[in-house]
Amino acid sequence: MSGTSSERAGSGTATDGDSRSQAGATADRRTRVTVLVALAANLVIAVAKGVGGVLAGSPALLSEAAHSVADSFNEVFLLAALRRSRRPADRRHPFGYGKERFFWSLLAAVGIFVMGGCFSFFQGFEALRGGAEEKFSGYVAGLIVLGVALVAEGASLLRALHQVRGQDGGLGGLRDPALRTVVAEDGTAVLGVILALTGMALHMVTGQVVWEASASLAIGVLLVYVAYRLGRDARDRLIGEAADPELSGRIRALLRAQPEIDSVEALFTMKMGLDATLVAARIDLVPGLDSEHVEEVAVRIKRSLARTFPEADQIFLDVTDRPAGEAQESPAATGERGGA
């Protein structure tokens, strides 16, 4: 007894799908406001840091200016992610555009690495090689600019953390790559400003440029690390990351609890977007079911999965009587029918 059944999870659950879509749109509006607040803060701070860094000749301040410029570009990427990832599925992209969110987040990570981290390393090495002379007025101007930047970056970080706490007890916000990137950027910006303040203050007290150069290098290391973490997460999502083990376990348990299912031979999941997951399962039904009953059972099971797990946006069931060892292979390896 073998066959394949597939269904979009929205079938028969339009109300659940509409409510999920409305909740997602509301969360996106809040995230968009958070990103716009961060963008405005970074643009103003970038100009202030750049002017102050040139006037003061401060490598740490110029590194922070590059950091703010990188963050400003990244906020534009994140705004594009919010707009494009919610487009409905079409013939060319039947699974929707949810992964656009991860693509633009990857570009943001590259921006942090190139525009922020690399420029900070350059400024630090240049200061160590050639030295830097600053007047007292330059120190004062630089410290004032950094103090204002600390307040602005801190306010933007508090706004982002407030939204994270307001979404599913904090877990929902951290799942959103756009909001997670804003939190990482603002948190890194606050630490970067503190490093720059420390380096500039020690340079002013000791007269040794090595302190400010070291601060610039430390900012570069911090930015490269944050870019790596964000980029690795976006890469995992883009190449097809499985759903959380806890969710997969609950889906498997629900399938095994169905009286018509003798065994669940294989279960495959993949995150298709922020709140969309593809579910594909190979199941062995109990003996004695006729073909008409098999179809009815498959439809009922898929609808039960969709109601229980709203994030299961696409559900595919493959009824098979093959040995369990063979069924554990991937759909691509076995050549089994698994498409819509």
Side-chain angles (χ1 to χ4, degrees), residues 8-26:
R8 185 169 181 85
S11 301
T13 56
T15 301
D16 292 341
D18 291 343
S19 62
R20 188 172 70 249
S21 177
Q22 291 172 1
T26 300

Side-chain angles (χ1 to χ4, degrees), residues 231-252:
R232 185 182 65 176
D233 181 72
R235 178 208 64 186
D236 291 342
R237 302 292 185 89
L238 282 172
I239 64 178
E241 186 179 40
D244 298 332
E246 187 268 342
L247 175 61
S248 296
R250 289 167 56 206
I251 292 174
R252 185 182 292 272

Side-chain angles (χ1 to χ4, degrees), residues 49-58 61-62:
K49 288 177 181 176
V51 174
V54 171
L55 294 178
S58 167
L61 197 52
L62 288 173

Side-chain angles (χ1 to χ4, degrees), residues 188-260:
T188 304
V190 170
L191 291 176
V193 170
I194 293 174
L195 288 171
L197 278 169
T198 303
M200 184 175 286
L202 290 173
H203 186 187
M204 181 174 65
V205 172
T206 64
Q208 300 295 319
V209 72
V210 65
W211 293 108
E212 202 163 343
S214 298
S216 185
L217 293 174
I219 293 170
V221 170
L222 181 64
L223 292 175
V224 168
Y225 174 73
V226 171
Y228 166 74
R229 292 297 300 270
L230 292 174
R232 185 182 65 176
D233 181 72
R235 178 208 64 186
D236 291 342
R237 302 292 185 89
L238 282 172
I239 64 178
E241 186 179 40
D244 298 332
E246 187 268 342
L247 175 61
S248 296
R250 289 167 56 206
I251 292 174
R252 185 182 292 272
L254 188 148
L255 289 172
R256 286 175 173 169
Q258 305 303 312
E260 296 88 356

Side-chain angles (χ1 to χ4, degrees), residues 258-270:
Q258 305 303 312
E260 296 88 356
I261 295 180
D262 188 40
S263 64
V264 179
E265 302 295 345
L267 176 65
F268 306 97
T269 62
M270 183 169 62

Side-chain angles (χ1 to χ4, degrees), residues 27-187:
D28 277 2
R29 282 195 294 271
R30 294 191 186 121
T31 302
R32 188 175 293 107
V33 172
T34 299
V35 173
L36 288 172
V37 169
L39 175 60
N42 280 317
L43 286 174
V44 173
I45 293 169
V47 174
K49 288 177 181 176
V51 174
V54 171
L55 294 178
S58 167
L61 197 52
L62 288 173
S63 296
E64 272 301 295
H67 181 185
S68 295
V69 170
D71 285 351
S72 299
F73 276 103
N74 293 340
E75 258 84 62
V76 175
F77 290 154
L78 297 180
L79 289 173
L82 293 173
R83 181 176 63 85
R84 297 177 64 86
S85 65
R86 289 292 178 181
R87 288 183 294 170
D90 53 34
R91 180 176 298 180
R92 190 171 182 182
H93 296 88
F95 292 105
Y97 291 81
K99 287 193 175 184
E100 285 244 25
R101 220 173 186 102
F102 311 135
F103 168 74
W104 291 100
S105 296
L106 179 62
L107 290 187
V110 173
I112 293 174
F113 177 83
V114 175
M115 292 186 288
C118 293
F119 187 79
S120 296
F121 282 126
F122 172 77
Q123 285 295 318
F125 287 128
E126 281 293 300
L128 287 175
R129 188 183 68 174
E133 296 294 332
E134 295 185 38
K135 298 179 181 179
F136 181 77
S137 59
Y139 287 121
V140 173
L143 292 173
I144 291 175
V145 169
L146 288 174
V148 173
L150 183 61
V151 173
E153 298 284 14
S156 179
L157 176 61
L158 289 176
R159 159 73 196 190
L161 291 176
H162 175 73
Q163 183 177 345
V164 169
R165 285 195 297 268
Q167 290 185 212
D168 297 338
L171 298 178
L174 292 177
R175 288 192 304 108
D176 187 344
L179 186 54
R180 185 168 58 249
T181 300
V182 172
V183 171
E185 286 180 350
D186 289 344

